[in-house]
Amino acid sequence: MDSSFWIVMVVVLALVVAGYAAVLLVRVFRARRLLLDAGVPLRSKALFWAAVVYTVSPVDLIPDPVYLDDVGVLLLALRALHSAAARSGAGREELKG
């Protein structure tokens, strides 16, 4: 295999990761409304903010060129936030969109 194949593979992989990052960014901005809702438990809100701090911190489980641990932690925190909002009945219109 020549080097052009690997360049194409790296570009495709970078585009896929950028796409997932864009989707994650949209979900984070949608979660903002849930963070202001009084019905969502403080524990879930704190978990979300801890995940954001972990994502931007230089200390990682996996070195920074690979953002899988950052994305995974943030996705788990978003899932916990949304499930806590669903249990409390808060943000029903947010959970639909």
Side-chain angles (χ1 to χ4, degrees), residues 41-59:
L42 181 60
R43 178 178 161 216
S44 298
K45 293 176 185 180
L47 177 66
F48 173 78
W49 286 115
V52 169
V53 168
Y54 177 79
T55 301
V56 297
S57 75
V59 178

Side-chain angles (χ1 to χ4, degrees), residues 11 15 20 40 50-51 63 82 84:
V11 168
L15 290 174
Y20 279 119
V40 177
H82 280 275

Side-chain angles (χ1 to χ4, degrees), residues 29-81:
F29 280 117
R30 285 184 179 172
R32 182 180 54 192
R33 196 173 308 148
L34 293 176
L35 293 171
L36 298 175
D37 197 329
V40 177
L42 181 60
R43 178 178 161 216
S44 298
K45 293 176 185 180
L47 177 66
F48 173 78
W49 286 115
V52 169
V53 168
Y54 177 79
T55 301
V56 297
S57 75
V59 178
D60 284 336
L61 295 174
I62 301 174
D64 249 347
V66 181
Y67 294 108
L68 294 177
D69 61 329
D70 297 325
V71 171
V73 167
L74 202 50
L75 281 174
L76 288 174
L78 280 170
R79 179 171 286 177
L81 181 66

Side-chain angles (χ1 to χ4, degrees), residues 84-95:
R87 281 192 306 269
S88 70
R92 289 190 190 274
E93 68 280 349
E94 176 63 32
L95 294 174

